[in-house]
Amino acid sequence: MRRVIAIALAGANLLGAASLGGCSSMSFDVFKSTPPTVQVRLESNPPGADATTSLGPGCKTPCSVSVPAPDVPFTVAFALPKYQPASVPVNLIRNPGDFTTPASVTTDPDPVFAELQPATPPRPVRKPHRPRKPKPAAAAPAAAPVQAIPAAASPFPDPNAGRR
């Protein structure tokens, strides 16, 4: 019986040493959760704009980028030549999950969309308007004098003909 106890103790020591050796090389990083990432869809009208998140990643629209889910809202800046730049705020919606569904993070809005307005060219600077100097009047041709038509030659009867 002493042999059985001695073998059992020796086996326990070997298992204990192996388990301690395993613990020394085992890292507790396994228990740390990696920060969740969220896939952000980026679109613009017109397409082809350079979209850059305030978190760093960017792409040419339409596209998707994967960003680490921050604790605060972030922005997406859109730029396209001959168009005014635009910036869109993005909020994160965290769903904690439960026993049957995992936790998730989504963006609001989804997709992140920007309507880019054409850049208006600057208006040309107009010189101040100076009034023109009046030109000297040229000698106007003399007008023919108005001639009186004799009453007898008039096709209309003279209303004062009998009163004189």
Side-chain angles (χ1 to χ4, degrees):
M1 178 77 152
R2 287 186 186 173
R3 275 187 173 176
V4 174
I5 293 175
I7 292 176
L9 286 176
N13 283 338
L14 286 176
L15 286 176
S19 65
L20 287 177
C23 284
S24 64
S25 65
M26 185 175 82
S27 167
F28 287 104
D29 291 340
V30 174
F31 298 112
K32 291 182 183 177
S33 63
T34 59
T37 59
V38 62
Q39 199 70 16
V40 182
R41 291 186 334 188
L42 305 172
E43 296 179 5
S44 67
N45 185 22
D50 290 321
T52 308
T53 66
S54 60
L55 303 173
C59 58
K60 213 175 252 314
T61 62
C63 59
S64 283
V65 294
S66 183
V67 296
D71 294 330
V72 294
F74 62 95
T75 58
V76 179
F78 294 87
L80 185 64
K82 298 183 182 180
Y83 287 87
Q84 294 177 354
S87 182
V88 178
V90 179
N91 294 312
L92 295 176
I93 301 170
R94 297 178 186 274
N95 300 320
D98 56 17
F99 290 115
T100 60
T101 59
S104 65
V105 179
T106 58
T107 61
D108 179 37
D110 185 26
V112 179
F113 180 79
E115 181 77 33
L116 300 175
Q117 301 299 319
T120 55
R123 292 185 178 180
V125 177
R126 298 180 79 191
K127 293 181 181 178
H129 179 65
R130 289 186 283 162
R132 293 184 179 174
K133 293 181 182 177
K135 293 182 180 179
V146 178
Q147 296 179 351
I149 300 174
S154 174
F156 301 106
D158 186 11
N160 295 328
R163 297 187 194 167
R164 292 189 199 171

